[in-house]
């Protein structure tokens, strides 16, 4: 009889002499090949240090199986606790019209003077009613476009109506306006200032030339200089902490990450999300300028991350947000609430998007597919369908069922699946199938590449780097982590 | 606890009372004991008088004579026994007051500072009386044993008495957590809705055999279920780790285990052992010089602090800790048993240091040394 039982685990050969081994809740160890072979052949001795480590992490048990399974189930529930509250992120497209012509924008945007692409009050009112049917105690309403400020009246209408409804039910309500800031005015800012729960998410792709090349305006004006002016004004009126920025990596700025990061720091941001582009939907010629192979992105990302770590060592508190999300998943017992990195996927059940015409889609990507003529992911319309039909319908359920990494071929046995997430709609848009195929998927390549890079840094157990990572995860200054006496 | 030796007059049975040094006509509390250097011939308003030996034969009534009246403070609670002893059950100027609920225990921890007891008289009436005499300004009160939860209903009675009589006082119950495995028991505690209650539970290792080997019974998974039940009822939990020769090597692993399984705990205390009672009996098995485990302790503390877990070090002398760990060190040794060694004379940071247990005179680190500011 074996002296111990092996509990469910996954592993990967991390390098020539180390195995990365993890349990069902994402706790992990790096063990030697020798110990691994002994472990799986039931020959690991209980006085071996690895034996106790595996036991402590609930990868093996030699005593009470029920108690250990109970502990694992508590940890599993904690890791999956993002599922408890249902949809909290509600994206609203106030208009499809835009004043920019960003080189990476996919076909969905309309020109400034186009007619019929603004959300009307009737639709907006139904959208708000639908949003407040969500059982989640946290409601974040994110205005997207086009450029949402082109239809600011509807933003005001939605904010006011939401606040009125929320007076009775008291949810944690937040608004985010995703804007290029070009059209922001004192009067808009003074209006937004009245509410302490309105945030601005803007876009910044680097210093002047990189930003302006990625994000030209339809008018031909220099988008960077107007952006800088308006950023200053917005921060003055709303407060610095109310404004965050997102960046998009294109073929034009991918080799200049250090410059982009320096620009973020120069402008006083304390984080950057080095986002890779989803290159689907471009004509081949455009793809050559805008796109890049994912392998190249991973290499540039790694360099950028090391650069950011060096800046933190010098005392500049600056977070790379994608790394921070992954580190939270790898190092803590908690989930993140980032909809793109969940299993099951966050589509519909964590985040949802309401198009200008009231159409409801489970993600921004599915709305773009619809704009390109593929309405496959349309969940319904706020004017025609009930909350139940949209959110509790068989269609959304079937999509969710196809997005559990734990049961997807290739993903189910991946040692990194507790750190990763499913995105069936993106996979469909790239490969025509909602069932993820890790061999084809660029998302898989990227996530695997970055996760193993982070794991390698974690494995090296450098105290300075660990402190920096934890200062990101726990949003505390490095001095507090070091807690010098 | 602190004890004072002296001579008794007219004391036939134990007296419990509250100390006052201000003789006042308007006091009618029969539980008061007057402490004075210059007593009148007779009093009617006090249970007893405590005064200096030169007053022998000069006053009537129930009297205790001792040289050491200075060490008694207003609102202290004392027990006077006919054999000429004052035990100070409650010190009004201390943060370390405790109620001993029972000496019985369902564990037999190898480094327990107490001795194993098989049976005893019910201490609940005494404890209820003590609570009623304590100052409402008491900041903290420990509830200890043995294992206090073994009292069952009387345990709840004490907690609920604290809630009523000492509404401003933080209560800290020391427990092995085993009893909280019982869902109904935990629920009953939660239903008392004490506003400021901390359950401090000992956990010594990250695996069952190592922990059970220390507590000398099979309690590991019961304690863990106790954590879950307490968390379910949103009770404030502290984890107490007494570091000894049997568990110091895996201290960093224990920190990992705590963070991943019980991230909901309010506080974690890494504690030096008190080498008396069973610990002294087993000293060869359990003693480890704190100097020898400073690296493991450091790793565990850094690990937990990185993760924003609230962690402290108890019962450690500053000269044995790397300076970066000083911010975590607390002066945790009860006032009455706290002392410094001869080696400490002249140390410039003595005032910040928690010092030693009485029993540490015999067993302490070889590396105690003076520090300069």
């Amino acid at each position: 009889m074996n002296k111990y039982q092996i509990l469910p685990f996954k592993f990967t050969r991390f390098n020539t002499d180390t195995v990365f081994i993890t349990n069902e809740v994402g706790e992990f160890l790096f063990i030697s090949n020798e110990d691994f072979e002994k472990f799986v052949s039931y020959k690991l001795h209980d006085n071996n240090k690895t034996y106790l480590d595996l036991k402590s992490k609930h990868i093996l048990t030699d005593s009470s199986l029920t108690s250990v399974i109970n502990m694992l189930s508590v940890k599993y529930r904690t890791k999956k606790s993002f599922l408890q509250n249902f949809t909290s992120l509600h994206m609203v497209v106030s208009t499809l019209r835009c004043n920019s012509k960003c080189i990476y924008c996919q076909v969905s945007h309309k020109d400034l003077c186009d007619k019929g692409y603004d959300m009307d009050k009737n639709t907006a009112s139904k959208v708000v009613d639908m949003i407040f049917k969500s059982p989640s105690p946290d409601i974040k309403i994110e205005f997207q476009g086009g450029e949402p400020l082109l239809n600011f009246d509807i933003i005001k209408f939605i904010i006011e109506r939401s606040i009125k409804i929320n007076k009775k039910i008291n949810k944690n309500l937040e608004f985010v306006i995703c804007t290029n800031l070009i059209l922001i005015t004192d009067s808009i800012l003074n209006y937004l200032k009245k509410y302490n729960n309105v945030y601005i998410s803007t876009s910044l792709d680097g210093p002047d030339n990189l930003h302006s090349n990625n994000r030209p305006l339809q008018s031909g004006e220099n988008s960077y200089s107007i952006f800088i002016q308006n950023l200053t004004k917005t921060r003055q009126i709303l407060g610095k902490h109310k404004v965050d920025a997102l960046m998009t990596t294109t073929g034009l700025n991918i080799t200049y990450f250090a410059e982009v990061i320096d620009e973020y720091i120069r402008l006083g941001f304390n984080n950057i999300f080095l986002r890779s582009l989803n290159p689907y939907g471009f004509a081949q010629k455009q793809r050559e300028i805008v796109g890049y192979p994912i392998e190249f992105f991973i290499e540039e990302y790694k360099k950028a991350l090391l650069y950011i770590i060096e800046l933190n060592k010098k005392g500049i508190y600056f977070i790379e947000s994608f790394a921070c999300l992954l580190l939270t998943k790898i190092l803590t017992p908690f989930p993140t609430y980032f909809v793109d990195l969940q299993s099951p996927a966050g589509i519909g059940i964590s985040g949802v998007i309401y198009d200008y015409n009231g159409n409801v889609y489970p993600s921004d990507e599915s709305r773009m597919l619809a704009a390109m003529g593929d309405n496959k992911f349309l969940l319904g319309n706020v004017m025609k369908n009930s909350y139940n039909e949209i959110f509790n319908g068989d269609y959304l359920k079937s999509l969710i069922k196809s997005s559990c990494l734990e049961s997807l071929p290739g993903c189910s046995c991946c040692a990194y699946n507790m750190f990763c997430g499913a995105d069936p709609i993106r996979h469909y848009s790239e490969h025509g199938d909602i069932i993820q195929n890790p061999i084809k998927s660029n998302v898989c390549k990227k996530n695997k590449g970055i996760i193993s890079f982070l794991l390698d840094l974690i494995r090296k157990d450098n105290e300075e780097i660990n402190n920096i990572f934890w200062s990101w995860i726990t949003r505390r200054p490095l001095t507090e982590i070091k807690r010098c006496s | 606890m602190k004890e004072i030796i002296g001579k008794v007059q007219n004391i036939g049975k134990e007296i419990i009372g509250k100390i006052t040094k201000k003789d006042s006509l308007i006091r009618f509390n029969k539980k008061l004991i007057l402490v004075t250097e210059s007593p009148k011939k007779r009093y009617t308003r006090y249970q007893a008088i405590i005064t200096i030996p030169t007053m022998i034969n000069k006053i009537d009534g129930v009297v205790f004579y001792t040289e050491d009246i200075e060490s008694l403070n207003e609102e202290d609670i004392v027990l006077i026994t006919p054999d000429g002893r004052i035990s100070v059950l409650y010190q009004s100027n201390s943060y370390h007051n405790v109620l001993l609920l029972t000496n019985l225990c369902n564990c037999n921890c190898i480094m327990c500072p107490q001795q194993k007891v098989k049976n005893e008289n019910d201490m609940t009436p005494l404890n209820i009386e003590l609570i009623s005499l304590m100052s409402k300004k008491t900041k903290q009160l420990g509830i200890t044993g043995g294992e206090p939860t073994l009292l069952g209903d009387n345990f709840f009675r004490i907690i609920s008495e604290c809630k009523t009589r000492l509404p401003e006082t933080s209560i800290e119950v020391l427990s092995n957590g085993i009893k909280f495995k019982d869902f109904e028991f935990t629920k009953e505690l939660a239903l008392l809705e004490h506003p400021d209650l901390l359950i401090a539970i000992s956990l010594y290792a990250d695996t069952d055999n190592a922990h059970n080997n220390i507590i000398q019974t099979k309690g590991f998974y019961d304690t863990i279920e106790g954590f879950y039940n307490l968390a379910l009822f949103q009770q404030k939990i502290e984890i107490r780790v007494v570091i000894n020769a049997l568990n110091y090597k895996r201290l960093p692993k224990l920190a990992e285990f705590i963070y991943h399984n019980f991230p909901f705990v309010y506080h974690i205390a890494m504690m030096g052992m008190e080498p008396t009672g069973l610990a002294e009996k087993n000293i060869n098995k359990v003693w480890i010089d704190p100097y020898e485990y400073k690296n493991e302790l450091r790793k565990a503390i850094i690990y937990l602090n990185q993760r924003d877990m609230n962690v402290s070090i108890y019962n450690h002398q500053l000269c044995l800790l790397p300076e970066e760990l000083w911010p975590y060190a607390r002066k945790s040794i009860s006032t009455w048993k706290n002392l410094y060694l001869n080696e400490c004379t002249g140390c410039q940071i003595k005032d910040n240091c928690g010092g030693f247990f009485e029993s540490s005179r015999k067993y302490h680190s070889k590396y105690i040394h003076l520090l300069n500011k």
Side-chain angles (χ1 to χ4, degrees), chain A residues 27 52-53 55-57 63 67-68 71 75 331-334 463 466-467 470 476 481 483 485, chain B residues 206-209 221 224 228 250 253 256-257 259-261 263 298 305-308 323 327-328 330:
Chain A
E27 287 177 284
L52 287 178
D53 290 348
K55 187 175 170 182
S56 177
K57 300 279 182 212
S63 49
S67 304
V68 171
M71 294 185 78
K75 288 188 273 199
L331 294 173
T332 82
F334 307 112
E463 195 167 295
N466 290 345
N467 283 338
W470 281 101
R476 291 182 299 163
I481 308 260
R483 205 164 158 186
S485 49
Chain B
D206 62 326
T207 55
D208 55 350
N209 295 342
Y221 289 115
I224 282 168
Y228 290 148
R250 288 185 66 83
K253 299 289 176 183
E256 283 183 36
F257 182 77
Y259 176 64
H260 281 279
N261 292 285
R298 180 183 178 279
N305 179 58
Q306 277 173 340
R307 286 148 184 80
D308 214 0
E323 201 167 331
Y328 304 91
R330 304 277 170 272

Side-chain angles (χ1 to χ4, degrees), chain A residues 383-436:
Chain A
M383 310 297 280
K384 288 181 234 146
N385 301 100
S386 68
Y387 178 84
N388 244 337
E389 284 166 350
I390 292 173
F391 288 93
N392 206 13
D394 289 341
Y395 183 53
L396 182 57
K397 280 181 192 162
S398 74
L399 287 177
I400 299 298
K401 275 184 200 159
S402 316
S403 74
C404 299
L405 295 181
E406 289 83 346
S407 60
L408 287 174
C411 295
S412 64
C413 58
C414 173
Y416 301 157
N417 78 16
M418 276 308 280
F419 316 139
C420 198
D423 194 344
I425 294 167
R426 173 151 183 181
H427 198 268
Y428 172 85
S429 78
E430 285 182 26
H431 306 288
D433 188 355
I434 59 166
I435 302 296
Q436 279 184 200

Side-chain angles (χ1 to χ4, degrees), chain A residues 150 159 220 259 421 452 459:
Chain A
L150 283 169
I159 289 178
E259 285 80 355
S452 50
R459 189 178 66 93

Side-chain angles (χ1 to χ4, degrees), chain A residues 91-97 105-110 117 119 142-148 178 347 352-379 425 429:
Chain A
M91 294 168 277
V92 179
V93 179
S94 60
T95 177
L96 277 188
R97 292 183 298 128
C105 187
Q106 292 148 35
V107 290
S108 63
H109 83 268
K110 301 293 166 192
Y117 295 106
M119 185 177 275
E142 195 173 287
F143 298 102
Q144 297 203 352
E147 166 52 43
C178 302
I347 48 170
V352 70
I353 188 159
Y354 306 87
D355 209 352
Y356 74 99
N357 55 8
N359 278 349
V360 185
Y361 298 97
S363 72
D364 199 22
E365 202 129 40
S366 45
R367 170 185 70 121
M368 292 187 189
L369 279 170
M372 290 184 281
D374 186 347
N375 240 336
K376 182 176 167 66
F377 297 106
L378 179 66
L379 295 175
I425 294 167
S429 78

Side-chain angles (χ1 to χ4, degrees), chain B residues 222-270:
Chain B
D222 294 343
T223 297
I224 282 168
E225 277 187 56
F227 283 129
Y228 290 148
N229 280 334
L230 286 164
L232 198 63
F233 287 106
Q234 297 179 9
Q235 299 297 296
K236 226 161 130 183
I237 306 166
E238 173 178 288
I239 291 184
R240 294 194 156 205
V241 182
V242 177
I243 308 165
N244 62 69
L246 301 176
N247 69 356
Y248 78 95
K249 281 186 189 147
R250 288 185 66 83
L251 216 50
K253 299 289 176 183
L254 176 56
E256 283 183 36
F257 182 77
I258 290 171
Y259 176 64
H260 281 279
N261 292 285
F262 320 114
F264 46 78
V265 299
Y266 171 78
H267 181 232
I268 300 141
M270 296 289 178

